[in-house]
C-alpha cells in the first residue's frame, strides 16, 4: 500500500518565548520537525509534505536545505489541525493508500508504532494513535465502543463524563488517502475553540459508515515540545536513547552520561569514547577508534583505530584515515590526514592534505588564511615537520622532507630536502652573566631608593 506523510508545523509555539519558529528549535542538533519526518520516513512514504505557517519562510528554508525532496505547503492562517491538513490537498491530489499525519513538535514517535498503525489501517479507514497519560490534562479524549473509535472530543468541548475518559489522542493519524479530504470537507468549526479540528474526521467517518480504531503507545512517545523546559527534557531523553543505542551496538562509553550525541552520530563497533566528549552533527567514527576525554567533533570522519584527544577539536571536513593520531589541544579543519600520520600536540591543521605516516611536531600551524582568502597546505608521506613550524599556505612539503623547528616555511620544500626557515643562532660568550649582574645591581639600587 502507498504511504504519504504530512507533518504539521504551522503553529506559533508562543510558549517557547522565542523569535525562532518552534519547530526550528533543535534536539540532538536537528530541528524538531526533522525528527517527526525521520519517524515517518521509516514508512518509506512516496509523498512527504511539511505544512508551515508561523515563520513559514524560515521553516521552508531550513526544510528545503535539509531535505530537497520535501514538499512544503503554507497554511497562511492557523485555523486548526483539520485546516492545516486541508492545505496539503493539492500536494496529495490523486494519492491512494494511507496518509500519515504527524506533528512537527512531537519528536519521539517510534517507527514501530507507526508500523502498528499501518497494520491496523488494513482493516480501518481511520487509525488514531492513543495513549493513557499519567495526567490526561487537556488532551482530546478517545470515545471507544469496543475496538471501534466513535469520535474524539477535545477537552474544551467535553462533558464531565467524557473528561473522565483516560484514553487520549496522541495526535497522530493514519487515514485512507482516497477519502481524507472528503472527510475534512465534512468538518466545521462550531466548537469551543472556533477551529477546524482534524479530530472531527473520526465522527464524520463513522457517520458515513466507515470504520475507525485506535492503536496505543507509551506516553513518552507522544511528548510534545512546547517550552524550553520541555526542550531540555526532550534533549535528555534523546541523549539517553543514543547512549543506550551506542552501548548496545558494541561501543564502550566509560561515562555514558557525559557523552553527547547528534541525531546522525555513527560509532563503529569497539570504538571507545572517554568521558566528556561532544559529537556535533555529521560525525562517523570507525571501529576500534578511541576518542579521548574532552574532545569536540563535528562534520568529520575518524578512521579505524585512530586515536583522538584528549582535548582535541575536529571541525567540519576533518578526514582521518586509519591509525591516525591526533593529540591534545590540536584543531583539525577541512583536512585529510593519511594513514598513521601523527599530529600529537598543540597544532592547527586547516585546509590541508597530510600524507601517510607524516609527523607534525608540537605547535605546527598551517597558516591558511591571509585575511581574505583561504589557502591549501600539502604535506607528503612520511614528511617530518619540526616543532613550531609555521607553514604559510599555499605551500607544498614533499614526501620524506623535513622542516627545522621554529621555521617559517613560505616556499615549497622538495621531497627529501630539509628546510631551515629561521634566523641563524649566535652565541655571545658570558653575556648572560654580565646581564644578570647589571640587572641585579639596578634592582638593589631601586629598593634603596624606595626605603
Ligand atoms: C491536538 C489534538 C488533541 C491531542 C493533542 C495531542 C486536535 C484538534 N487536537 O491538540 O486531540 O490530544 O494534539 O498533543 O487536533 N497546527 C498547525 N496549524 C494549525 C493548528 C495546529 O499546523 O492551524 C500544528 C501545530 O503546529 C502542532 C500540531 O498541529 O504541531 C498540533 O496543534 P496544537 O495546537 O498543539 O493541538 P493541541 O491543542 O495540542
Ligand atoms: Mg499541542
Amino acid at each position: 500500500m502507498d504511504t504519504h506523510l504530512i507533518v504539521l508545523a504551522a503553529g506559533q509555539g508562543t510558549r517557547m518565548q522565542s523569535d525562532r519558529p518552534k519547530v526550528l528549535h533543535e534536539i540532538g542538533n536537528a530541528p524538531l520537525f526533522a525528527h517527526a519526518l525521520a519517524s515517518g520516513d521509516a514508512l518509506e512514504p512516496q509523498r512527504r509534505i511539511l505544512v508551515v505557517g508561523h515563520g513559514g519562510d524560515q521553516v521552508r528554508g531550513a526544510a528545503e536545505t535539509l531535505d530537497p525532496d520535501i514538499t512544503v505547503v503554507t497554511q497562511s492562517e492557523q485555523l486548526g489541525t483539520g485546516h492545516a491538513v486541508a492545505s496539503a490537498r493539492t500536494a496529495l491530489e490523486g494519492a491512494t493508500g494511507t496518509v500519515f499525519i504527524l506533528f512537527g513538535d512531537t519528536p519521539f514517535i517510534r517507527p514501530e508504532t507507526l508500523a502498528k498503525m499501518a497494520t491496523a489501517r488494513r482493516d480501518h479507514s481511520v487509525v488514531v494513535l492513543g495513549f493513557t497519560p499519567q495526567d490526561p490534562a487537556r488532551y482530546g479524549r478517545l470515545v471507544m465502543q469496543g475496538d471501534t473509535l466513535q469520535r474524539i472530543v477535545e477537552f474544551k468541548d467535553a462533558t464531565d463524563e467524557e473528561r473522565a475518559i483516560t484514553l487520549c489522542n496522541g495526535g497522530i493519524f493514519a487515514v485512507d488517502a482516497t477519502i481524507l479530504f472528503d472527510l475534512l470537507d465534512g468538518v466545521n468549526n462550531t466548537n469551543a475553540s472556533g477551529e477546524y479540528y482534524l479530530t472531527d474526521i473520526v465522527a464524520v467517518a463513522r457517520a458515513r459508515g466507515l470504520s475507525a480504531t485506535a492503536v496505543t503507545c507509551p506516553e513518552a512517545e507522544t511528548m510534545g515540545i512546547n517550552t524550553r523546559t520541555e526542550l531540555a527534557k526532550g534533549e535528555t531523553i534523546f541523549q539517553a536513547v543514543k547512549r543506550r543505542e551506542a552501548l548496545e551496538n558494541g561501543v564502550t562509553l566509560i561515562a555514558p552520561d557525559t557523552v553527547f550525541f547528534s541525531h546522525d552520530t555513527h560509532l563503529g563497533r569497539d570504538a571507545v569514547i572517554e568521558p566528556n566528549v561532544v559529537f556535533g552533527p555529521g560525525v562517523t567514527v570507525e571501529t576500534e577508534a578511541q576518542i579521548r576525554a574532552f574532545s569536540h567533533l563535528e562534520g568529520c570522519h575518524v578512521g579505524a583505530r585512530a586515536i583522538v584527544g584528549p582535548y582535541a577539536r575536529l571541525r567540519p571536513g576533518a578526514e582521518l584515515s586509519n591509525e591516525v593520531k591526533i593529540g591534545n589541544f590540536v584543531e583539525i579543519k577541512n583536512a585529510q590526514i593519511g594513514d598513521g600520520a601523527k599530529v600529537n600536540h598543540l597544532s592547527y591543521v586547516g585546509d590541508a592534505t597530510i600524507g601517510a605516516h607524516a609527523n607534525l611536531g608540537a605547535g605546527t600551524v598551517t597558516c591558511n588564511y591571509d585575511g581574505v582568502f583561504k589557502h591549501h597546505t600539502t604535506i607528503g608521506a612520511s614528511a617530518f615537520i619540526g616543532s613550531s613550524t609555521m607553514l604559510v599556505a599555499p605551500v607544498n612539503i614533499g614526501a620524506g622532507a623535513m622542516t627545522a623547528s621554529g621555521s617559517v616555511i613560505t616556499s615549497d620544500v622538495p621531497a627529501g630536502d630539509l628546510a631551515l626557515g629561521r634566523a641563524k643562532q649566535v652565541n655571545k660568550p658570558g653575556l648572560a652573566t654580565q646581564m644578570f649582574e647589571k640587572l641585579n645591581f639596578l634592582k638593589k639600587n631601586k629598593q634603596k631608593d624606595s626605603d
Side-chain angles (χ1 to χ4, degrees), residues 149-163:
L149 175 61
Q150 296 291 14
R151 59 200 167 82
I152 303 177
V153 54
E154 287 304 296
F155 178 83
K156 277 190 188 170
D157 302 289
T159 61
D160 284 347
E161 201 182 324
E162 287 163 338
R163 286 181 183 181

Side-chain angles (χ1 to χ4, degrees), residues 186-210:
V187 170
N188 62 44
N189 66 349
T190 51
N191 52 49
S193 308
E195 288 184 2
Y196 295 89
Y197 295 153
L198 172 63
T199 44
D200 280 353
I201 66 168
V202 174
V204 175
R206 293 296 297 135
R208 294 184 190 176
L210 299 166

Side-chain angles (χ1 to χ4, degrees), residues 24 32 75 81 90-91 147 214 281 320 372 400 439:
L24 292 188
L32 291 175
Q75 182 198 21
T81 48
T90 314
D147 282 345
L320 277 48
V372 180
L439 290 168

Side-chain angles (χ1 to χ4, degrees), residues 7-13 15 22-23 51-53 75 77-85 102-106 131 136 138-142 152-155 168-173 195-200 222-224 226:
V7 173
L8 302 187
Q12 188 167 15
R15 286 186 286 157
K22 175 165 83 172
V23 292
V51 179
V52 304
Q75 182 198 21
E77 267 185 299
Q78 280 68 58
L79 302 180
T81 48
H83 181 258
V85 173
L102 273 63
F103 290 167
D105 63 356
T106 306
F131 71 115
R138 309 187 73 79
Y139 291 112
R141 304 299 205 263
L142 302 190
I152 303 177
V153 54
E154 287 304 296
F155 178 83
C168 291
N169 174 24
I172 313 292
F173 278 61
E195 288 184 2
Y196 295 89
Y197 295 153
L198 172 63
T199 44
D200 280 353
T222 64
M223 181 190 176
N226 300 294

Side-chain angles (χ1 to χ4, degrees), residues 24-175:
L24 292 188
H25 285 267
E26 296 184 346
I27 285 181
N29 288 309
L32 291 175
F33 77 81
H35 288 268
L37 275 172
S39 311
D41 280 347
L43 298 160
E44 298 181 2
Q46 273 82 33
R47 302 191 209 177
R48 301 152 71 246
I49 296 136
L50 184 70
V51 179
V52 304
H54 273 281
D57 288 344
Q58 254 176 295
V59 182
R60 177 186 290 273
E64 288 174 347
T65 308
L66 210 72
D67 194 341
D69 297 332
I70 193 115
T71 302
V72 181
V73 302
T74 303
Q75 182 198 21
S76 31
E77 267 185 299
Q78 280 68 58
L79 302 180
T81 48
H83 181 258
V85 173
S87 59
R89 188 188 296 261
T90 314
L92 284 173
E93 191 88 68
T96 58
T98 302
V99 178
F100 274 84
I101 301 156
L102 273 63
F103 290 167
D105 63 356
T106 306
F108 296 120
I109 301 291
R110 286 181 318 138
E112 293 87 332
T113 298
L114 298 180
K116 240 165 76 176
M117 291 178 76
T119 306
R121 242 292 288 145
R122 290 188 201 140
D123 303 319
H124 302 275
S125 300
V126 179
V127 180
V128 173
L129 183 62
F131 71 115
T132 307
Q134 261 184 340
D135 172 15
R138 309 187 73 79
Y139 291 112
R141 304 299 205 263
L142 302 190
V143 181
M144 301 294 294
Q145 205 165 59
D147 282 345
T148 299
L149 175 61
Q150 296 291 14
R151 59 200 167 82
I152 303 177
V153 54
E154 287 304 296
F155 178 83
K156 277 190 188 170
D157 302 289
T159 61
D160 284 347
E161 201 182 324
E162 287 163 338
R163 286 181 183 181
I165 297 173
T166 53
L167 184 61
C168 291
N169 174 24
I172 313 292
F173 278 61
V175 186

